[in-house]
Amino acid sequence: MDQTFAKEYTVTADLTAEAMGSGGIPVLATPAMVAMVENACYGELQKELKSEETSVGGFLSIEHLAPSPVGATVTVRAALYEHAGTKVVFSFTVYEGEKLVGKGNHERFIVQKERFLSKLS
């Protein structure tokens, strides 16, 4: 896996704080930013896993620093900085053009799909 990667997203009306119920204004919601970060890191990591493996989020710290309007393109840029056994940790930034709108760390764990799902019963 590349040590760094980026993925772009467009802020749509359904991703706003107003639509998601996390605020009363039509700007990118923090929960939507969290989902973008998880999606980017999951997708990049999944490229390297076996078909019977996946990864699950375990921890995410985020600072949402600036608003982004509907229609804006935001880019999640992440870097793998720790891979110890099944634990994989990324640092990330989220930019709208040159404006830093978010940053933090995201920890994922590689799991065997069937073994993980067996914990449900």
Side-chain angles (χ1 to χ4, degrees):
M1 176 170 64
D2 288 339
Q3 295 296 308
T4 61
F5 56 93
K7 187 169 181 182
E8 288 187 351
Y9 299 87
T10 301
V11 179
T12 55
D14 61 319
L15 299 177
T16 64
E18 192 171 55
M20 297 188 89
S22 65
I25 49 179
V27 297
L28 178 63
T30 302
M33 184 185 290
V34 167
M36 290 172 179
V37 169
E38 286 221 59
N39 174 263
C41 294
Y42 162 78
E44 192 66 22
L45 184 54
Q46 196 63 34
K47 294 176 187 177
E48 304 300 318
L49 300 180
K50 299 173 187 166
S51 62
E52 65 272 11
E53 295 176 319
T54 192
S55 66
V56 294
F59 176 79
L60 193 138
S61 66
I62 191 166
E63 292 181 67
H64 195 161
L65 304 168
S68 298
V70 171
T73 299
V74 295
T75 304
V76 175
R77 299 177 188 161
L80 172 71
Y81 77 85
E82 181 183 343
H83 188 175
T86 61
K87 178 179 161 183
V88 182
V89 185
F90 300 91
S91 62
F92 67 86
T93 54
V94 181
Y95 279 88
E96 178 194 334
E98 298 299 314
K99 178 175 69 172
L100 178 65
V101 296
K103 64 180 181 175
N105 295 297
H106 180 40
E107 190 174 289
R108 299 191 68 78
F109 291 90
I110 299 168
V111 299
Q112 299 294 319
K113 292 177 187 178
E114 291 203 19
R115 185 173 174 200
F116 186 81
L117 290 173
S118 73
K119 296 177 181 180
L120 293 174
S121 47

